[in-house]
Amino acid sequence: MTETPAWYYDEFKQIGTDYEYADEVRRYDERMHTLRDIPKETADTIALLGIGPESTLVEFGCGTGELAITAAGLCRKVHAVDISQVMIDYAHAKAETRGVNSVEFHRAGFLTYEHSDEPADIVVTQLALHHLPDFWKVVALGRIRDILKPGGRFFLRDVVFSFDLKNYRKALDAWIDTVKECCGSVNCRNHIRDEYSTTSWLMEAMLQHTGFDIISADYTGGVFAAYLCEKI
Ligand SMILES: C[S@@+](CC[C@H](N)C(=O)[O-])C[C@H]1O[C@@H](n2cnc3c(N)ncnc32)[C@H](O)[C@@H]1O
């Protein structure tokens, strides 16, 4: 095993919301079920990915497990990866309650997960990559490329800044209003200050640079971006 250099990013430190608190995780799950139409969102994402009975899927930042648990019923194997042990315990308990036992949970992250199964057909990550600064996003995307089969699909949904940066203060004020309309009481000021959402043009460049074809890039609504990509 190669030693981790002292300069390697510590992805286990919590930034923004602390997902190592059980109450925070429970509140997150409840909030997401109010703000998002989780069953529809999950069904739409699964349809987009073309999951089949032989597929191997890896999800980074699986959180409370909704996508991983639903996908598990449709494919050979799901590896659900998250840095938070509390998130994993919560998702694991949810999988058990739903009678799903084909999800393998891993306490690891974009920069530390070691994939020892067959190369993945699909990698998914939703609302998690913005926890890494841009340089480490590039490292993470390269690691994702390496665990995918040639032609494998990568779906990335995240909070991405797709507005014009020339007058960034005004644009961020408008963005905060948009977030309030779509997501209610989510603390977007903390998100801007403490987390690492990047710009749409940088995200596209990072994906292309690391060896992905961007099949579609969706910025509808101005808060989230969704990229469907294929490993070249
Ligand atoms: C906002 S939640 C999103 C959870 C879920 N994907 C969803 O769509 O609801 C972000 C998740 O990413 C996890 N996370 C943060 N940094 C991570 C990293 N470096 N690698 C993997 N997961 C990470 C957090 O623990 C948390 O569970």
Side-chain angles (χ1 to χ4, degrees):
M1 212 166 82
T2 50
E3 211 177 294
T4 306
W7 46 258
Y8 204 68
Y9 189 75
D10 176 10
E11 63 176 344
F12 288 89
K13 69 180 174 215
Q14 294 287 322
I15 63 148
T17 312
D18 189 342
Y19 294 117
E20 286 294 6
Y21 279 106
D23 279 353
E24 195 60 66
V25 167
R26 187 185 39 75
R27 275 199 297 273
Y28 177 81
D29 203 30
E30 286 167 6
R31 204 166 58 239
M32 288 303 114
H33 277 90
T34 317
L35 295 175
R36 294 156 74 180
D37 183 347
I38 297 279
K40 181 178 181 317
E41 185 188 300
T42 306
D44 289 350
T45 306
I46 283 172
L48 196 67
L49 293 172
I51 294 174
E54 294 308 316
S55 304
T56 300
L57 183 149
V58 179
E59 185 184 12
F60 285 96
C62 65
T64 61
E66 289 294 341
L67 182 95
I69 293 167
T70 305
L74 305 167
C75 61
R76 185 190 74 86
K77 186 80 186 201
V78 172
H79 295 276
V81 181
D82 204 289
I83 58 158
S84 158
Q85 187 61 51
V86 177
M87 276 290 191
I88 287 176
D89 292 345
Y90 190 96
H92 194 242
K94 193 187 277 181
E96 277 185 350
T97 308
R98 296 188 192 170
V100 172
N101 55 19
S102 55
V103 182
E104 202 172 306
F105 290 97
H106 306 263
R107 185 176 186 219
F110 294 107
L111 304 175
T112 46
Y113 171 67
E114 296 295 341
H115 187 66
S116 51
D117 197 352
E118 59 186 51
D121 301 276
I122 297 157
V123 174
V124 182
T125 185
Q126 305 196 88
L127 312 185
L129 193 63
H130 67 264
H131 287 91
L132 296 179
D134 281 359
F135 172 78
W136 295 102
K137 287 190 186 79
V138 178
V139 175
L141 292 172
R143 297 184 92 249
I144 288 170
R145 177 204 56 221
D146 290 347
I147 64 175
L148 274 167
K149 286 180 182 158
R153 290 196 152 192
F154 173 45
F155 180 73
L156 163 65
R157 191 198 307 275
D158 208 351
V159 181
V160 169
F161 298 138
S162 53
F163 47 76
D164 187 349
L165 285 183
K166 277 189 213 94
N167 191 344
Y168 75 92
R169 285 192 175 213
K170 210 169 152 198
L172 279 173
D173 284 341
W175 186 83
I176 289 168
D177 290 341
T178 311
V179 175
K180 272 194 202 136
E181 273 164 36
C182 86
C183 312
S185 63
V186 167
N187 196 335
C188 46
R189 287 181 180 81
N190 290 8
H191 181 96
I192 296 166
R193 192 187 55 226
D194 302 334
E195 305 189 31
Y196 302 105
S197 274
T198 195
T199 64
S200 48
W201 48 275
L202 270 172
M203 188 62 94
E204 290 188 14
M206 286 190 249
L207 286 164
Q208 284 158 346
H209 179 82
T210 45
F212 289 103
D213 248 349
I214 302 174
I215 300 169
S216 62
D218 182 0
Y219 300 106
T220 310
V223 177
F224 303 104
Y227 305 89
L228 179 64
C229 306
E230 198 169 280
K231 174 175 169 169
I232 298 169

